[in-house]
Amino acid sequence: IPDHPVALKIIEEFGPIITTSANVHSHKNPRTCQDALEDLTRCGALFVQMSGAGSAVYGIFKSAPVAREAETALREKWAVCLTAQTMPY
């Protein structure tokens, strides 16, 4: 049961809440863009960046297999983790 007054008021008004968490047991809680940037770097990204507002962070990897390996590792910690491939002009 949460102890935050806003969460308690929502429960009082609407009833029980069921939710999931992006946090993995025994891992530091991912809270900042910096956490995501550091995780991408640890997984082998050659370059990491965040979008203007920080709603997305991304890394550039040496190869598709390395990127997919990083995606697999990061899915254990982050709720949304996707790989994409650049398109030629």
Side-chain angles (χ1 to χ4, degrees):
I1 295 177
D3 62 0
H4 192 278
V6 173
L8 292 171
K9 184 66 175 170
I10 291 170
I11 292 168
E12 179 184 313
E13 292 290 322
F14 299 101
I17 299 171
I18 299 173
T19 186
T20 61
S21 174
N23 302 336
V24 176
H25 177 69
S26 79
H27 287 247
K28 177 182 159 193
N29 290 340
R31 300 265 185 219
T32 67
C33 291
Q34 188 63 40
D35 289 338
L37 294 168
E38 290 171 3
D39 284 349
L40 284 165
T41 300
R42 266 192 296 280
C43 285
L46 303 174
F47 175 80
V48 295
Q49 186 70 44
M50 69 177 202
S51 64
S55 60
V57 296
Y58 60 90
I60 297 175
F61 293 84
K62 181 178 180 178
S63 66
V66 173
R68 283 191 292 274
E69 186 176 302
E71 177 188 13
T72 299
L74 292 172
R75 279 185 186 269
E76 295 178 13
K77 184 174 182 181
W78 295 93
V80 177
C81 187
L82 307 168
T83 56
Q85 187 167 334
T86 56
M87 300 292 291
Y89 287 110

